[in-house]
């Protein structure tokens, strides 16, 4: 678990004594004899895994296409039970071409094997979301994750059918144009099947089937490629520290190296995914959309001593200025509103400027809103 000194962001200087931004150079780090202090996690915070597995339901999305109401009701019940407890499930028959998924993984090698000088051209600037980041060194100076990321926004409101290609061309020139084409198709494919997941979530909650489809139809994806290089210091660091996703709904595809763990019943449980499945998990914003019925759960990624791990994470978010508010059907005298109205832009900025993502982020944000906007006397 993250300690309080790492929870609140103070924007410590990320520069080393030579005035240079810390660089996640995996070739350099691979040859070190001891872990750099910036990546060290205290042993009490790297709680040992339970060696048990979190068994989550695997939902065949084909039942929504066939219209088999009995099968849909059974799937919805499985999703409801999982989301009330921990917010994770898997979906198959999603329609994303396996060859496209394989191509997306292959292009990660193209990205993360670039010379560091070229990766830094695309460096993410503090306070922004798009670009390259090595170990989140642009935001933190301690307990850094052992990973590299490249993140971009896929906006549902843009008329451009090449916005991902345009992102790669803008950051890398024409060198990664083919990479951009692959990820354009990948983002298109995730957008194509995501309404089925949102419809299933609505059915499981007993609200209008299109409640969340309509809510997210003018939103966006925050798409992120994660590369976790092999780490000989895996006993002393983490690929990604314990956190809750602050976003809406996460669509994750991970390779078969493993390492994803979810904190359930006060222990860390491994979540192994099928190659033909996407992992779906609830973020803080969607928890608010369910009035707290569904859980945004703490999870982390272990570092692996011998093998690189790769994952493709798509975080679905609403339009930045749309009010996050649960449907009236989920509010009653017995279940009053748990969270005030807020927008994704407000919550996003809070996580960027005031609070490192953890189990208390949403509650801290609500307290911050209420203290910033006291009720009239």
């Amino acid at each position: 678990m993250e300690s309080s000194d790492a929870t609140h962001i103070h924007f410590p200087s990320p520069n080393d004594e030579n005035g240079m931004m810390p660089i996640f150079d995996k070739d350099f780090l691979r040859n070190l004899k001891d872990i750099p202090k910036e990546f060290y996690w205290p042993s009490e915070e790297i709680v040992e895994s339970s060696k048990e597995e979190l068994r989550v339901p695997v939902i065949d999305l084909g039942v929504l296409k066939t219209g088999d109401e009995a099968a849909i009701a059974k799937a919805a019940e499985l999703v409801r039970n999982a989301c009330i407890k921990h917010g994770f499930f898997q979906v198959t028959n999603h329609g994303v071409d396996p060859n496209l998924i394989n191509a997306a993984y292959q292009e990660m090698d193209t990205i993360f094997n670039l010379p560091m000088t070229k990766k830094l051209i695309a460096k993410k600037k503090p306070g922004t979301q798009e670009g390259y980041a090595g170990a989140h060194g642009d935001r933190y100076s301690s307990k850094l994750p052992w990973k590299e990321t490249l993140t971009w926004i896929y906006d549902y409101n843009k008329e451009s059918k090449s916005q991902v290609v345009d992102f790669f061309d803008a950051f890398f020139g024409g060198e990664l144009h083919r990479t951009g084409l692959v990820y354009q198709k990948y983002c298109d494919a995730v957008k194509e099947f995501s309404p089925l997941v949102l419809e299933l979530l609505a059915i499981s909650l007993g609200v209008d089937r299109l409640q969340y489809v309509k809510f997210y139809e003018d939103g966006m994806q925050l798409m992120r490629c994660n590369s976790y290089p092999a780490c000989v210091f895996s006993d002393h660091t983490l690929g990604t520290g314990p956190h809750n996703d602050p976003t809406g709904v996460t669509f994750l595809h991970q390779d078969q190296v493993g390492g994803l763990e979810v904190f359930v019943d006060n222990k860390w449980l491994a979540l192994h995914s099928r190659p033909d499945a996407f992992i779906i998990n609830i973020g803080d914003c969607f928890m608010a959309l369910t009035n707290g019925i569904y859980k945004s759960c703490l999870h982390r990624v272990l570092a692996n001593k011998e093998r690189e791990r790769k994952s493709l994470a798509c975080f679905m978010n609403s339009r930045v200025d749309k009010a996050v508010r649960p449907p009236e059907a989920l509010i009653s005298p017995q279940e009053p509103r748990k969270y005030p109205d807020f927008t994704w832009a407000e919550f996003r900025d809070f996580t960027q400027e005031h609070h490192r993502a953890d189990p208390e982020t949403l509650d801290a944000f609500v307290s911050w809103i209420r203290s910033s906007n006291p009720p009239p006397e």
Side-chain angles (χ1 to χ4, degrees), residues 15-257:
N15 296 341
D16 64 17
E17 60 186 13
N18 298 315
M20 300 296 290
M21 180 76 76
I23 294 175
F24 188 84
D25 187 331
K26 56 188 176 184
D27 295 323
F28 173 76
L29 293 169
R30 180 185 298 132
N31 297 316
L32 293 180
K33 294 183 179 180
D34 199 7
I35 184 170
K37 67 181 188 309
E38 292 85 359
F39 294 94
Y40 179 80
W41 287 69
S43 56
E44 66 270 16
E45 296 188 36
I46 305 185
V47 181
E48 187 175 355
S49 304
S50 67
K51 310 303 182 187
E52 298 176 39
E53 183 176 344
L54 177 64
R55 300 192 179 278
V56 302
V58 180
I59 307 299
D60 181 353
L61 291 179
V63 299
L64 286 161
K65 303 172 187 175
T66 62
D68 183 339
E69 291 300 327
I72 292 172
K74 183 177 180 180
E77 183 181 7
L78 291 172
V79 167
R80 181 179 179 84
N81 291 339
C83 289
I84 286 175
K85 187 169 180 63
H86 51 66
F88 280 81
F89 59 98
Q90 298 190 59
V91 296
T92 58
N93 203 3
H94 40 71
V96 183
D97 186 343
N99 292 324
L100 176 58
I101 295 174
N102 290 336
Y105 280 117
Q106 291 169 8
E107 292 305 324
M108 287 181 66
D109 292 334
T110 303
I111 295 167
F112 295 113
N113 288 337
L114 284 171
M116 185 57 66
T117 52
K118 292 188 177 181
K119 285 190 279 192
L120 290 179
I121 291 174
K123 183 177 63 179
K124 185 170 78 71
K125 297 178 181 178
T128 65
Q129 293 184 292
E130 292 189 289
Y132 167 82
H136 294 323
D138 59 312
R139 297 181 63 194
Y140 311 123
S141 64
S142 65
K143 292 191 287 189
L144 298 180
W146 195 270
K147 69 175 180 178
E148 296 180 280
T149 65
L150 184 71
T151 307
W152 62 88
I153 292 172
Y154 175 90
D155 191 339
Y156 294 172
N157 295 302
K158 284 190 175 179
E159 295 182 2
S160 168
K161 297 186 182 300
S162 62
Q163 58 178 297
V164 179
V165 179
D166 296 342
F167 165 84
F168 277 87
D169 286 348
F171 276 90
F172 300 101
E175 185 174 354
L176 296 190
H177 184 79
R178 185 188 69 168
T179 304
L181 288 171
V182 169
Y183 288 121
Q184 179 74 49
K185 292 178 182 177
Y186 184 87
C187 289
D188 289 342
V190 173
K191 180 187 177 184
E192 183 70 23
F193 86 83
S194 61
L196 293 174
V197 176
L198 295 173
E199 184 178 353
L200 182 61
L201 285 166
I203 295 169
S204 72
L205 284 159
V207 300
D208 184 279
R209 292 173 77 126
L210 298 180
Q211 173 74 37
Y212 300 117
V213 174
K214 292 178 180 177
F215 183 80
Y216 284 106
E217 65 184 357
D218 57 354
M220 65 185 66
Q221 299 173 18
L222 186 69
M223 181 68 210
R224 178 170 295 155
C225 295
N226 297 297
S227 170
Y228 302 85
C231 176
V232 296
F233 313 115
S234 59
D235 292 339
H236 303 291
T237 192
L238 290 167
T240 296
H243 68 285
N244 290 42
D245 292 346
T247 47
V249 181
T250 302
F251 294 72
L252 174 72
H253 198 284
Q254 62 173 355
D255 64 17
Q256 297 304 293
V257 172

